[in-house]
Short mmCIF file of all heavy atoms in Angstrom, two decimals:
data_model
loop_
_atom_site.label_atom_id
_atom_site.label_comp_id
_atom_site.label_asym_id
_atom_site.label_seq_id
_atom_site.Cartn_x
_atom_site.Cartn_y
_atom_site.Cartn_z
N MET A 1 129.38 124.39 126.13
CA MET A 1 129.07 123.39 127.20
C MET A 1 129.54 123.87 128.56
O MET A 1 130.67 124.34 128.69
CB MET A 1 129.69 122.03 126.79
CG MET A 1 129.25 120.89 127.68
SD MET A 1 129.99 119.37 127.13
CE MET A 1 129.02 118.96 125.69
N MET A 2 128.74 123.79 129.53
CA MET A 2 129.10 124.20 130.85
C MET A 2 129.91 123.16 131.59
O MET A 2 129.80 121.97 131.28
CB MET A 2 127.83 124.50 131.70
CG MET A 2 127.12 125.76 131.26
SD MET A 2 125.42 125.81 131.93
CE MET A 2 125.74 125.97 133.64
N GLU A 3 130.69 123.59 132.51
CA GLU A 3 131.59 122.67 133.21
C GLU A 3 130.84 121.59 133.91
O GLU A 3 131.28 120.43 133.93
CB GLU A 3 132.48 123.51 134.24
CG GLU A 3 133.66 122.67 134.73
CD GLU A 3 134.52 123.48 135.68
OE1 GLU A 3 134.74 124.68 135.41
OE2 GLU A 3 134.95 122.90 136.69
N GLU A 4 129.70 121.93 134.48
CA GLU A 4 128.94 120.93 135.19
C GLU A 4 128.33 119.85 134.30
O GLU A 4 127.87 118.85 134.75
CB GLU A 4 127.81 121.57 136.03
CG GLU A 4 126.73 122.24 135.18
CD GLU A 4 125.72 123.03 136.12
OE1 GLU A 4 126.13 123.99 136.71
OE2 GLU A 4 124.57 122.55 136.14
N ASP A 5 128.34 120.08 132.97
CA ASP A 5 127.95 119.08 132.02
C ASP A 5 129.00 118.01 131.79
O ASP A 5 128.73 116.95 131.29
CB ASP A 5 127.56 119.71 130.69
CG ASP A 5 126.21 120.46 130.76
OD1 ASP A 5 125.37 120.09 131.58
OD2 ASP A 5 126.10 121.46 130.03
N LEU A 6 130.20 118.36 132.21
CA LEU A 6 131.31 117.45 131.97
C LEU A 6 131.51 116.46 133.08
O LEU A 6 132.53 116.30 133.69
CB LEU A 6 132.64 118.27 131.73
CG LEU A 6 132.60 119.17 130.53
CD1 LEU A 6 133.93 120.00 130.52
CD2 LEU A 6 132.47 118.39 129.24
N ASN A 7 130.44 115.79 133.39
CA ASN A 7 130.49 114.71 134.39
C ASN A 7 129.76 113.51 133.81
O ASN A 7 129.22 113.59 132.69
CB ASN A 7 129.95 115.14 135.68
CG ASN A 7 128.49 115.66 135.60
OD1 ASN A 7 127.70 115.14 134.79
ND2 ASN A 7 128.15 116.66 136.36
N ASN A 8 129.68 112.46 134.55
CA ASN A 8 128.99 111.30 134.09
C ASN A 8 127.69 111.06 134.79
O ASN A 8 127.22 109.92 134.92
CB ASN A 8 129.92 110.04 134.28
CG ASN A 8 131.07 110.05 133.32
OD1 ASN A 8 130.98 110.45 132.19
ND2 ASN A 8 132.21 109.55 133.81
N ILE A 9 127.02 112.16 135.15
CA ILE A 9 125.77 112.01 135.84
C ILE A 9 124.59 112.00 134.86
O ILE A 9 124.39 112.94 134.06
CB ILE A 9 125.52 113.22 136.88
CG1 ILE A 9 126.70 113.31 137.81
CG2 ILE A 9 124.20 113.04 137.60
CD1 ILE A 9 126.92 112.20 138.73
N CYS A 10 123.85 110.98 134.86
CA CYS A 10 122.70 110.79 133.99
C CYS A 10 121.59 111.83 134.31
O CYS A 10 121.29 112.02 135.48
CB CYS A 10 122.15 109.39 134.14
SG CYS A 10 120.62 109.10 133.26
N GLU A 11 121.07 112.48 133.34
CA GLU A 11 120.05 113.54 133.54
C GLU A 11 118.71 112.84 133.89
O GLU A 11 117.80 113.52 134.42
CB GLU A 11 119.83 114.36 132.29
CG GLU A 11 120.98 115.39 132.09
CD GLU A 11 120.69 116.33 130.98
OE1 GLU A 11 119.83 116.05 130.13
OE2 GLU A 11 121.29 117.44 130.99
N GLU A 12 118.53 111.60 133.61
CA GLU A 12 117.29 110.95 133.90
C GLU A 12 117.23 110.36 135.30
O GLU A 12 116.35 110.65 136.08
CB GLU A 12 117.04 109.81 132.88
CG GLU A 12 116.86 110.27 131.41
CD GLU A 12 115.52 110.93 131.21
OE1 GLU A 12 114.53 110.46 131.79
OE2 GLU A 12 115.45 111.86 130.43
N CYS A 13 118.23 109.56 135.66
CA CYS A 13 118.17 108.84 136.87
C CYS A 13 119.22 109.39 137.91
O CYS A 13 119.24 108.92 139.04
CB CYS A 13 118.42 107.32 136.71
SG CYS A 13 120.00 106.93 136.01
N LYS A 14 120.05 110.37 137.47
CA LYS A 14 121.03 111.03 138.36
C LYS A 14 122.10 110.03 138.88
O LYS A 14 122.80 110.37 139.83
CB LYS A 14 120.35 111.73 139.54
CG LYS A 14 119.20 112.64 139.15
CD LYS A 14 119.66 113.79 138.27
CE LYS A 14 118.45 114.69 137.96
NZ LYS A 14 118.82 115.67 136.92
N LYS A 15 122.22 108.96 138.19
CA LYS A 15 123.30 108.03 138.59
C LYS A 15 124.53 108.33 137.78
O LYS A 15 124.48 108.81 136.64
CB LYS A 15 122.87 106.55 138.34
CG LYS A 15 122.01 106.02 139.45
CD LYS A 15 121.91 104.49 139.38
CE LYS A 15 120.83 104.06 138.45
NZ LYS A 15 120.62 102.58 138.45
N GLU A 16 125.72 108.05 138.38
CA GLU A 16 126.97 108.27 137.69
C GLU A 16 127.33 107.01 136.91
O GLU A 16 127.49 105.95 137.47
CB GLU A 16 128.02 108.64 138.67
CG GLU A 16 129.32 109.07 137.95
CD GLU A 16 130.31 109.81 138.86
OE1 GLU A 16 130.07 109.90 140.07
OE2 GLU A 16 131.32 110.35 138.31
N GLU A 17 127.46 107.18 135.62
CA GLU A 17 127.77 106.06 134.74
C GLU A 17 128.74 106.57 133.66
O GLU A 17 128.65 107.62 133.12
CB GLU A 17 126.49 105.59 133.98
CG GLU A 17 125.45 105.00 134.85
CD GLU A 17 125.65 103.50 135.08
OE1 GLU A 17 126.47 102.90 134.41
OE2 GLU A 17 125.03 102.95 136.00
N GLU A 18 129.78 105.70 133.35
CA GLU A 18 130.71 106.07 132.34
C GLU A 18 130.09 106.22 131.00
O GLU A 18 130.51 106.99 130.19
CB GLU A 18 131.78 104.98 132.32
CG GLU A 18 133.19 105.48 131.95
CD GLU A 18 134.20 104.32 132.05
OE1 GLU A 18 134.48 103.85 133.15
OE2 GLU A 18 134.75 104.01 130.97
N SER A 19 128.99 105.48 130.75
CA SER A 19 128.31 105.54 129.47
C SER A 19 127.61 106.87 129.19
O SER A 19 127.27 107.18 128.06
CB SER A 19 127.32 104.39 129.37
OG SER A 19 126.37 104.46 130.44
N VAL A 20 127.42 107.69 130.23
CA VAL A 20 126.73 108.98 130.10
C VAL A 20 127.45 109.86 129.09
O VAL A 20 126.87 110.42 128.14
CB VAL A 20 126.53 109.66 131.41
CG1 VAL A 20 126.00 111.11 131.23
CG2 VAL A 20 125.58 108.93 132.28
N THR A 21 128.76 110.00 129.23
CA THR A 21 129.56 110.81 128.33
C THR A 21 129.57 110.24 126.92
O THR A 21 129.46 110.96 125.93
CB THR A 21 131.02 110.96 128.87
OG1 THR A 21 130.93 111.55 130.16
CG2 THR A 21 131.86 111.84 127.93
N HIS A 22 129.66 108.94 126.81
CA HIS A 22 129.60 108.28 125.53
C HIS A 22 128.28 108.57 124.84
O HIS A 22 128.27 108.92 123.63
CB HIS A 22 129.72 106.75 125.69
CG HIS A 22 131.09 106.30 125.94
ND1 HIS A 22 131.92 105.85 125.00
CD2 HIS A 22 131.78 106.18 127.09
CE1 HIS A 22 133.07 105.53 125.51
NE2 HIS A 22 133.04 105.67 126.81
N ASN A 23 127.19 108.47 125.53
CA ASN A 23 125.90 108.70 124.92
C ASN A 23 125.67 110.19 124.55
O ASN A 23 125.01 110.46 123.55
CB ASN A 23 124.80 108.23 125.89
CG ASN A 23 124.72 106.74 125.93
OD1 ASN A 23 124.98 106.06 124.97
ND2 ASN A 23 124.27 106.17 127.06
N LEU A 24 126.26 111.09 125.34
CA LEU A 24 126.18 112.51 125.04
C LEU A 24 126.87 112.80 123.75
O LEU A 24 126.38 113.49 122.88
CB LEU A 24 126.80 113.33 126.17
CG LEU A 24 126.80 114.81 126.03
CD1 LEU A 24 125.38 115.38 125.88
CD2 LEU A 24 127.47 115.53 127.18
N ILE A 25 128.04 112.19 123.58
CA ILE A 25 128.83 112.42 122.34
C ILE A 25 128.18 111.72 121.14
O ILE A 25 128.04 112.32 120.06
CB ILE A 25 130.30 111.96 122.53
CG1 ILE A 25 131.00 112.81 123.57
CG2 ILE A 25 131.04 111.96 121.18
CD1 ILE A 25 132.26 112.21 124.09
N LYS A 26 127.75 110.49 121.32
CA LYS A 26 127.26 109.74 120.21
C LYS A 26 125.81 110.05 119.84
O LYS A 26 125.48 110.03 118.68
CB LYS A 26 127.33 108.22 120.53
CG LYS A 26 128.76 107.64 120.39
CD LYS A 26 128.79 106.15 120.77
CE LYS A 26 128.19 105.30 119.73
NZ LYS A 26 128.32 103.84 120.12
N HIS A 27 124.96 110.32 120.83
CA HIS A 27 123.55 110.44 120.62
C HIS A 27 122.98 111.83 120.93
O HIS A 27 121.86 112.11 120.63
CB HIS A 27 122.79 109.34 121.36
CG HIS A 27 123.30 107.97 121.12
ND1 HIS A 27 123.11 107.29 119.89
CD2 HIS A 27 124.06 107.10 121.87
CE1 HIS A 27 123.68 106.13 119.97
NE2 HIS A 27 124.26 106.00 121.15
N GLY A 28 123.76 112.61 121.69
CA GLY A 28 123.26 113.92 122.05
C GLY A 28 122.36 113.90 123.30
O GLY A 28 121.77 114.92 123.62
N TYR A 29 122.27 112.73 123.99
CA TYR A 29 121.50 112.68 125.22
C TYR A 29 122.44 112.38 126.36
O TYR A 29 123.24 111.51 126.28
CB TYR A 29 120.48 111.54 125.15
CG TYR A 29 119.48 111.69 124.05
CD1 TYR A 29 119.40 110.82 122.98
CD2 TYR A 29 118.50 112.69 124.14
CE1 TYR A 29 118.46 111.01 121.93
CE2 TYR A 29 117.58 112.87 123.12
CZ TYR A 29 117.54 111.99 122.05
OH TYR A 29 116.61 112.15 121.05
N LYS A 30 122.29 113.20 127.42
CA LYS A 30 123.16 112.99 128.61
C LYS A 30 122.47 112.03 129.56
O LYS A 30 121.95 112.38 130.58
CB LYS A 30 123.39 114.37 129.28
CG LYS A 30 124.52 114.31 130.30
CD LYS A 30 125.03 115.71 130.57
CE LYS A 30 126.10 115.69 131.67
NZ LYS A 30 125.52 115.66 132.99
N VAL A 31 122.45 110.81 129.12
CA VAL A 31 121.80 109.76 129.88
C VAL A 31 122.66 108.50 129.96
O VAL A 31 123.54 108.29 129.07
CB VAL A 31 120.42 109.34 129.31
CG1 VAL A 31 119.45 110.54 129.41
CG2 VAL A 31 120.53 108.89 127.88
N CYS A 32 122.42 107.62 130.92
CA CYS A 32 123.17 106.39 131.00
C CYS A 32 122.64 105.38 129.99
O CYS A 32 121.63 105.64 129.33
CB CYS A 32 123.16 105.85 132.40
SG CYS A 32 121.51 105.28 132.91
N GLU A 33 123.32 104.28 129.90
CA GLU A 33 122.94 103.31 128.89
C GLU A 33 121.55 102.78 129.13
O GLU A 33 120.75 102.63 128.17
CB GLU A 33 123.97 102.16 128.91
CG GLU A 33 123.83 101.19 127.74
CD GLU A 33 124.05 101.88 126.40
OE1 GLU A 33 124.72 102.97 126.31
OE2 GLU A 33 123.58 101.36 125.40
N SER A 34 121.19 102.47 130.34
CA SER A 34 119.85 101.90 130.61
C SER A 34 118.76 102.92 130.32
O SER A 34 117.68 102.56 129.80
CB SER A 34 119.73 101.39 132.01
OG SER A 34 120.03 102.37 132.98
N CYS A 35 118.96 104.23 130.63
CA CYS A 35 117.99 105.26 130.35
C CYS A 35 117.90 105.47 128.81
O CYS A 35 116.83 105.70 128.28
CB CYS A 35 118.32 106.56 131.02
SG CYS A 35 118.06 106.50 132.80
N ARG A 36 119.02 105.34 128.13
CA ARG A 36 119.02 105.57 126.67
C ARG A 36 118.15 104.45 126.03
O ARG A 36 117.38 104.67 125.10
CB ARG A 36 120.41 105.52 126.13
CG ARG A 36 120.46 105.84 124.66
CD ARG A 36 121.85 105.73 124.07
NE ARG A 36 122.31 104.36 123.97
CZ ARG A 36 121.91 103.49 123.01
NH1 ARG A 36 121.13 103.91 122.04
NH2 ARG A 36 122.37 102.27 123.00
N VAL A 37 118.37 103.22 126.50
CA VAL A 37 117.57 102.06 125.97
C VAL A 37 116.07 102.31 126.21
O VAL A 37 115.31 102.16 125.28
CB VAL A 37 118.05 100.79 126.58
CG1 VAL A 37 117.11 99.65 126.24
CG2 VAL A 37 119.46 100.45 126.07
N SER A 38 115.70 102.74 127.41
CA SER A 38 114.28 102.95 127.67
C SER A 38 113.75 104.13 126.90
O SER A 38 112.62 104.11 126.51
CB SER A 38 114.08 103.11 129.17
OG SER A 38 114.74 104.18 129.67
N LYS A 39 114.60 105.16 126.58
CA LYS A 39 114.19 106.27 125.75
C LYS A 39 113.95 105.81 124.32
O LYS A 39 113.02 106.25 123.66
CB LYS A 39 115.31 107.37 125.70
CG LYS A 39 115.10 108.49 126.68
CD LYS A 39 116.26 109.47 126.50
CE LYS A 39 115.83 110.92 126.31
NZ LYS A 39 115.09 111.48 127.42
N THR A 40 114.81 104.91 123.89
CA THR A 40 114.71 104.33 122.53
C THR A 40 113.45 103.57 122.36
O THR A 40 112.74 103.61 121.36
CB THR A 40 115.95 103.51 122.18
OG1 THR A 40 117.09 104.31 122.41
CG2 THR A 40 115.91 103.07 120.71
N ILE A 41 113.14 102.74 123.36
CA ILE A 41 111.98 101.92 123.29
C ILE A 41 110.70 102.69 123.53
O ILE A 41 109.67 102.48 122.87
CB ILE A 41 112.13 100.71 124.32
CG1 ILE A 41 113.32 99.90 123.99
CG2 ILE A 41 110.84 99.83 124.29
CD1 ILE A 41 113.69 98.91 125.06
N PHE A 42 110.74 103.65 124.51
CA PHE A 42 109.61 104.45 124.87
C PHE A 42 109.90 105.91 124.67
O PHE A 42 110.13 106.62 125.67
CB PHE A 42 109.17 104.15 126.30
CG PHE A 42 108.93 102.75 126.61
CD1 PHE A 42 109.76 102.00 127.40
CD2 PHE A 42 107.75 102.14 126.13
CE1 PHE A 42 109.50 100.69 127.69
CE2 PHE A 42 107.48 100.78 126.42
CZ PHE A 42 108.37 100.02 127.20
N PRO A 43 110.02 106.43 123.47
CA PRO A 43 110.28 107.84 123.26
C PRO A 43 109.21 108.74 123.82
O PRO A 43 108.02 108.41 123.69
CB PRO A 43 110.44 107.98 121.78
CG PRO A 43 109.83 106.80 121.14
CD PRO A 43 109.74 105.72 122.21
N ILE A 44 109.61 109.83 124.44
CA ILE A 44 108.65 110.72 125.05
C ILE A 44 107.96 111.56 123.96
O ILE A 44 108.61 112.18 123.14
CB ILE A 44 109.30 111.70 126.07
CG1 ILE A 44 109.91 110.81 127.17
CG2 ILE A 44 108.33 112.69 126.60
CD1 ILE A 44 110.94 111.59 128.05
ZN1 ZN B 101 120.09 106.94 133.74
#
C-alpha cells in the first residue's frame, strides 16, 4: 500500500471522510460511506 493511500480521501467524490479507511479495511473500497451505499445499490 502506498503512503498516499493512507488518508481518508474518497476515491469517488474526493471528500475526506473518516469512514473511507473503515470501508477500505472492511470492504476493500476506498470510498466514503455515502459512495459505498450508492455503489451497493447501483454496482458498476
Ligand atoms: Zn465519496
Side-chain angles (χ1 to χ4, degrees):
M1 190 179 283
M2 289 163 66
E3 194 178 319
E4 65 185 67
D5 288 329
L6 297 175
N7 56 36
N8 287 326
I9 307 295
C10 173
E11 284 187 340
E12 294 287 324
C13 64
K14 310 297 181 190
K15 278 195 275 186
E16 188 164 8
E17 294 274 345
E18 214 175 292
S19 58
V20 171
T21 301
H22 282 265
N23 287 331
L24 180 60
I25 293 166
K26 283 179 73 177
H27 307 287
Y29 298 113
K30 193 163 178 276
V31 295
C32 68
E33 192 61 23
S34 57
C35 289
R36 187 184 71 79
V37 168
S38 59
K39 263 179 128 64
T40 305
I41 298 169
F42 305 108
I44 298 165

